[in-house]
Protein backbone atom coordinates (compact mmCIF):
# COMPACT_ATOMS: atom_id res chain seq x y z
CA UNK A 1 0.00 0.00 0.00
CA UNK A 2 1.96 3.01 -1.28
CA UNK A 3 1.67 6.47 0.17
CA UNK A 4 2.77 9.04 2.69
CA UNK A 5 2.26 8.61 6.40
CA UNK A 6 2.50 11.30 9.04
CA UNK A 7 2.54 10.82 12.76
CA UNK A 8 1.19 11.63 15.18
CA UNK A 9 -2.21 12.87 14.04
CA UNK A 10 -2.33 15.30 16.98
CA UNK A 11 0.62 16.69 18.92
CA UNK A 12 0.72 18.91 21.95
CA UNK A 13 3.65 21.16 22.70
CA UNK A 14 4.51 22.78 25.99
CA UNK A 15 6.21 26.16 26.28
CA UNK A 16 9.93 25.94 25.42
CA UNK A 17 9.69 22.40 24.12
CA UNK A 18 10.97 21.06 20.81
CA UNK A 19 8.70 18.56 19.07
CA UNK A 20 9.32 16.39 16.02
CA UNK A 21 6.75 15.47 13.38
CA UNK A 22 7.32 12.32 11.41
CA UNK A 23 6.87 11.91 7.65
CA UNK A 24 7.53 8.66 5.79
CA UNK A 25 6.91 7.76 2.14
CA UNK A 26 7.20 4.48 0.26
CA UNK A 27 6.64 5.97 -3.20
CA UNK A 28 10.38 6.01 -3.98
CA UNK A 29 10.16 9.77 -4.48
CA UNK A 30 13.30 11.88 -4.38
CA UNK A 31 11.70 15.17 -3.33
CA UNK A 32 9.90 15.84 -0.06
CA UNK A 33 8.27 18.96 1.36
CA UNK A 34 6.87 20.38 4.56
CA UNK A 35 4.01 22.88 4.55
CA UNK A 36 2.22 24.77 7.26
CA UNK A 37 -1.50 25.45 6.85
CA UNK A 38 -3.35 28.15 8.79
CA UNK A 39 -6.99 29.12 8.20
CA UNK A 40 -7.25 31.50 5.24
CA UNK A 41 -3.52 31.32 4.54
CA UNK A 42 -3.32 28.42 2.15
CA UNK A 43 -0.20 26.25 2.19
CA UNK A 44 3.12 27.86 3.05
CA UNK A 45 6.37 26.05 2.36
CA UNK A 46 8.62 25.49 5.37
CA UNK A 47 11.43 23.28 4.01
CA UNK A 48 11.98 21.05 1.03
CA UNK A 49 14.49 18.40 0.05
CA UNK A 50 15.26 17.33 -3.49
CA UNK A 51 17.61 14.54 -2.56
CA UNK A 52 18.96 12.67 0.45
CA UNK A 53 21.31 14.69 2.69
CA UNK A 54 20.22 17.96 1.12
CA UNK A 55 17.43 20.38 2.01
CA UNK A 56 16.52 24.00 1.41
CA UNK A 57 14.58 26.63 3.35
CA UNK A 58 11.16 27.55 2.11
CA UNK A 59 9.22 30.75 2.75
CA UNK A 60 8.75 30.35 6.52
CA UNK A 61 11.70 28.28 7.79
CA UNK A 62 12.41 30.29 10.95
CA UNK A 63 11.83 28.24 14.08
CA UNK A 64 11.88 24.92 12.22
CA UNK A 65 14.55 22.37 11.36
CA UNK A 66 14.64 19.22 9.21
CA UNK A 67 16.89 16.32 8.30
CA UNK A 68 16.96 13.98 5.32
CA UNK A 69 19.15 11.03 6.20
CA UNK A 70 17.03 8.50 4.34
CA UNK A 71 15.13 8.78 1.07
CA UNK A 72 11.86 7.71 2.64
CA UNK A 73 11.97 9.94 5.73
CA UNK A 74 11.83 13.71 6.24
CA UNK A 75 11.16 14.62 9.89
CA UNK A 76 10.33 18.20 10.89
CA UNK A 77 11.30 19.63 14.27
CA UNK A 78 9.34 22.59 15.60
CA UNK A 79 11.74 24.34 17.93
CA UNK A 80 11.04 26.57 20.88
CA UNK A 81 12.06 29.50 18.66
CA UNK A 82 8.79 29.10 16.75
CA UNK A 83 6.53 31.36 18.79
CA UNK A 84 3.27 30.56 17.04
CA UNK A 85 3.43 26.85 16.20
CA UNK A 86 -0.29 26.04 16.35
CA UNK A 87 -1.18 24.90 12.82
CA UNK A 88 -1.87 21.93 10.58
CA UNK A 89 1.38 20.53 9.18
CA UNK A 90 1.43 18.73 5.86
CA UNK A 91 4.17 16.62 4.36
CA UNK A 92 4.31 15.96 0.63
CA UNK A 93 6.52 14.17 -1.84
CA UNK A 94 7.09 14.21 -5.59
CA UNK A 95 9.15 12.26 -8.10
CA UNK A 96 11.78 15.02 -8.08
CA UNK A 97 12.74 18.22 -9.83
CA UNK A 98 15.63 16.44 -11.56
CA UNK A 99 13.01 14.53 -13.56
CA UNK A 100 12.19 17.80 -15.30
CA UNK A 101 8.46 17.18 -15.26
CA UNK A 102 5.58 19.10 -13.72
CA UNK A 103 5.77 18.55 -10.03
CA UNK A 104 2.76 16.57 -8.94
CA UNK A 105 2.96 16.52 -5.17
CA UNK A 106 1.26 13.86 -3.07
CA UNK A 107 0.27 14.81 0.43
CA UNK A 108 0.12 12.96 3.71
CA UNK A 109 -2.86 13.15 6.09
CA UNK A 110 -1.32 15.91 8.22
CA UNK A 111 -0.42 16.51 11.86
CA UNK A 112 -2.26 19.07 13.94
CA UNK A 113 0.04 20.76 16.44
CA UNK A 114 -1.46 22.46 19.46
CA UNK A 115 0.24 24.46 22.19
CA UNK A 116 -0.62 23.74 25.82
CA UNK B 1 5.74 37.68 -9.34
CA UNK B 2 5.58 34.37 -7.52
CA UNK B 3 2.03 34.72 -6.22
CA UNK B 4 -1.05 32.87 -7.33
CA UNK B 5 -4.21 34.82 -6.54
CA UNK B 6 -7.33 32.73 -5.97
CA UNK B 7 -10.94 33.85 -5.73
CA UNK B 8 -13.48 33.72 -4.24
CA UNK B 9 -12.44 32.89 -0.70
CA UNK B 10 -15.72 31.02 -0.15
CA UNK B 11 -18.58 29.88 -2.33
CA UNK B 12 -22.03 28.46 -1.64
CA UNK B 13 -24.06 26.78 -4.39
CA UNK B 14 -27.12 24.60 -4.59
CA UNK B 15 -26.85 20.96 -5.61
CA UNK B 16 -26.61 20.74 -9.39
CA UNK B 17 -25.08 24.22 -9.70
CA UNK B 18 -21.75 24.96 -11.40
CA UNK B 19 -19.30 26.60 -9.00
CA UNK B 20 -16.38 28.39 -10.67
CA UNK B 21 -13.11 29.13 -8.90
CA UNK B 22 -10.61 31.47 -10.49
CA UNK B 23 -6.85 31.84 -10.23
CA UNK B 24 -4.45 34.37 -11.69
CA UNK B 25 -0.66 34.42 -11.88
CA UNK B 26 2.11 36.77 -12.99
CA UNK B 27 5.11 34.56 -13.66
CA UNK B 28 5.06 33.66 -17.36
CA UNK B 29 7.52 30.83 -16.68
CA UNK B 30 4.80 28.84 -14.90
CA UNK B 31 3.88 25.85 -17.02
CA UNK B 32 2.08 23.43 -14.73
CA UNK B 33 -1.23 24.23 -13.05
CA UNK B 34 -2.78 21.65 -10.70
CA UNK B 35 -5.90 21.85 -8.58
CA UNK B 36 -6.11 20.15 -5.21
CA UNK B 37 -9.18 19.20 -3.17
CA UNK B 38 -8.99 19.09 0.61
CA UNK B 39 -11.58 17.76 3.05
CA UNK B 40 -11.51 18.93 6.69
CA UNK B 41 -8.72 17.33 8.69
CA UNK B 42 -7.22 15.61 5.62
CA UNK B 43 -4.31 16.29 3.32
CA UNK B 44 -4.95 17.83 -0.13
CA UNK B 45 -5.44 15.41 -3.02
CA UNK B 46 -4.67 16.15 -6.66
CA UNK B 47 -7.89 16.68 -8.59
CA UNK B 48 -6.85 17.71 -12.09
CA UNK B 49 -3.93 19.52 -13.73
CA UNK B 50 -3.29 21.38 -16.98
CA UNK B 51 -0.35 22.63 -19.02
CA UNK B 52 -0.41 25.81 -21.16
CA UNK B 53 -0.50 23.94 -24.48
CA UNK B 54 -4.24 23.28 -24.06
CA UNK B 55 -7.06 25.69 -23.23
CA UNK B 56 -9.33 23.21 -21.49
CA UNK B 57 -9.11 19.85 -19.76
CA UNK B 58 -11.98 17.78 -18.46
CA UNK B 59 -11.97 14.87 -16.04
CA UNK B 60 -15.41 13.66 -15.07
CA UNK B 61 -17.38 16.59 -13.66
CA UNK B 62 -14.26 18.74 -13.21
CA UNK B 63 -13.01 21.08 -15.94
CA UNK B 64 -10.03 23.41 -16.02
CA UNK B 65 -10.17 26.38 -18.39
CA UNK B 66 -6.86 28.07 -19.16
CA UNK B 67 -6.29 31.51 -20.68
CA UNK B 68 -2.59 31.94 -21.34
CA UNK B 69 -2.77 35.53 -22.59
CA UNK B 70 -4.72 36.64 -19.53
CA UNK B 71 -2.60 34.47 -17.22
CA UNK B 72 -5.71 33.03 -15.64
CA UNK B 73 -7.12 29.57 -15.09
CA UNK B 74 -10.31 28.36 -13.51
CA UNK B 75 -11.98 25.25 -12.14
CA UNK B 76 -15.59 24.43 -13.01
CA UNK B 77 -17.52 21.69 -11.23
CA UNK B 78 -20.46 20.45 -13.26
CA UNK B 79 -23.59 19.11 -11.53
CA UNK B 80 -22.09 19.81 -8.10
CA UNK B 81 -22.98 17.49 -5.24
CA UNK B 82 -22.90 17.90 -1.44
CA UNK B 83 -19.93 15.51 -1.43
CA UNK B 84 -17.96 18.14 -3.39
CA UNK B 85 -18.04 20.40 -0.33
CA UNK B 86 -14.36 20.94 0.41
CA UNK B 87 -11.58 23.50 0.12
CA UNK B 88 -10.02 23.81 -3.32
CA UNK B 89 -6.51 25.07 -3.97
CA UNK B 90 -5.02 26.10 -7.27
CA UNK B 91 -1.26 26.00 -7.72
CA UNK B 92 1.40 26.75 -10.30
CA UNK B 93 5.00 25.80 -10.92
CA UNK B 94 7.83 26.36 -13.32
CA UNK B 95 8.68 22.74 -14.11
CA UNK B 96 11.83 23.78 -15.93
CA UNK B 97 13.07 25.78 -12.96
CA UNK B 98 15.75 24.63 -10.57
CA UNK B 99 13.27 23.63 -7.88
CA UNK B 100 9.92 23.23 -9.56
CA UNK B 101 8.19 24.07 -6.30
CA UNK B 102 4.44 24.60 -6.33
CA UNK B 103 3.06 28.04 -5.47
CA UNK B 104 -0.40 27.67 -3.94
CA UNK B 105 -3.37 29.99 -3.93
CA UNK B 106 -5.01 30.66 -0.57
CA UNK B 107 -7.91 28.32 -1.18
CA UNK B 108 -11.66 28.47 -1.79
CA UNK B 109 -14.07 26.87 0.65
CA UNK B 110 -16.95 25.40 -1.35
CA UNK B 111 -20.24 24.44 0.23
CA UNK B 112 -22.83 22.61 -1.88
CA UNK B 113 -26.30 22.73 -0.33
CA UNK B 114 -28.67 19.76 -0.83
Amino acid sequence: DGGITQSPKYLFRKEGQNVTLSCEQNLNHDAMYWYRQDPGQGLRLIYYSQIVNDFQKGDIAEGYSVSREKKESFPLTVTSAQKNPTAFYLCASSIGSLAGVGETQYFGPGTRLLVL
Amino acid sequence: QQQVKQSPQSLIVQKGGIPIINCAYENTAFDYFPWYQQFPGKGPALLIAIRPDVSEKKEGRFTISFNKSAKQFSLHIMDSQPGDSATYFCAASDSGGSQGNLIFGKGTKLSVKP
Side-chain angles (χ1 to χ4, degrees):
Chain A
D1 208 15
I4 302 174
T5 57
Q6 290 185 243
S7 62
K9 189 171 182 178
Y10 296 96
L11 187 57
F12 298 91
R13 194 190 93 164
K14 294 180 182 178
E15 196 79 32
Q17 187 182 38
N18 292 354
V19 292
T20 297
L21 285 61
S22 169
C23 177
E24 304 275 331
Q25 54 97 0
N26 61 5
L27 300 169
N28 200 33
H29 286 171
D30 283 316
M32 297 186 74
Y33 311 80
W34 273 105
Y35 292 91
R36 171 178 171 142
Q37 186 174 30
D38 297 280
Q41 292 289 326
L43 279 71
R44 293 185 290 171
L45 184 64
I46 304 172
Y47 267 99
Y48 63 98
S49 168
Q50 293 177 290
I51 201 164
V52 175
N53 292 322
D54 185 60
F55 49 83
Q56 307 293 330
K57 291 183 179 180
D59 300 320
I60 55 165
E62 187 175 347
Y64 300 97
S65 66
V66 294
S67 62
R68 186 85 188 276
E69 296 176 3
K70 297 187 295 182
K71 186 175 184 176
E72 58 270 23
S73 179
F74 191 40
L76 173 75
T77 297
V78 184
T79 75
S80 58
Q82 173 50 245
K83 298 306 178 189
N84 184 23
T86 297
F88 190 48
Y89 290 87
L90 289 159
C91 178
S93 72
S94 64
I95 291 173
S97 295
L98 298 177
V101 296
E103 288 286 15
T104 297
Q105 292 185 19
Y106 300 89
F107 285 83
T111 292
R112 188 164 297 280
L113 177 61
L114 299 164
V115 177
L116 293 177
Chain B
Q1 185 92 10
Q2 284 292 89
Q3 282 187 327
V4 175
K5 294 184 179 178
Q6 184 172 346
S7 62
Q9 195 172 3
S10 63
L11 190 52
I12 301 173
V13 299
Q14 292 294 128
K15 178 184 173 183
I18 306 175
I20 301 172
I21 304 170
N22 300 298
C23 286
Y25 63 97
E26 289 295 324
N27 188 347
T28 54
F30 286 156
D31 61 357
Y32 176 65
F33 303 90
W35 285 89
Y36 284 82
Q37 179 188 57
Q38 184 181 31
F39 293 104
K42 307 292 184 186
L46 180 68
L47 196 59
I48 186 173
I50 197 169
R51 297 188 186 279
D53 52 346
V54 297
S55 59
E56 186 175 280
K57 183 174 181 179
K58 185 179 292 187
E59 286 187 7
R61 295 184 294 107
F62 300 92
T63 299
I64 299 180
S65 297
F66 186 81
N67 186 330
K68 189 174 181 178
S69 61
K71 291 183 284 187
Q72 295 176 346
F73 57 110
S74 59
L75 176 70
H76 302 230
I77 306 175
M78 310 303 287
D79 187 26
S80 60
Q81 301 296 314
D84 296 328
S85 297
T87 299
Y88 293 82
F89 293 95
C90 63
S93 75
D94 169 14
S95 61
S98 58
Q99 293 103 25
N101 290 339
L102 285 174
I103 309 298
F104 285 88
K106 292 192 173 183
T108 296
K109 187 173 182 180
L110 172 66
S111 180
V112 181
K113 300 297 185 186

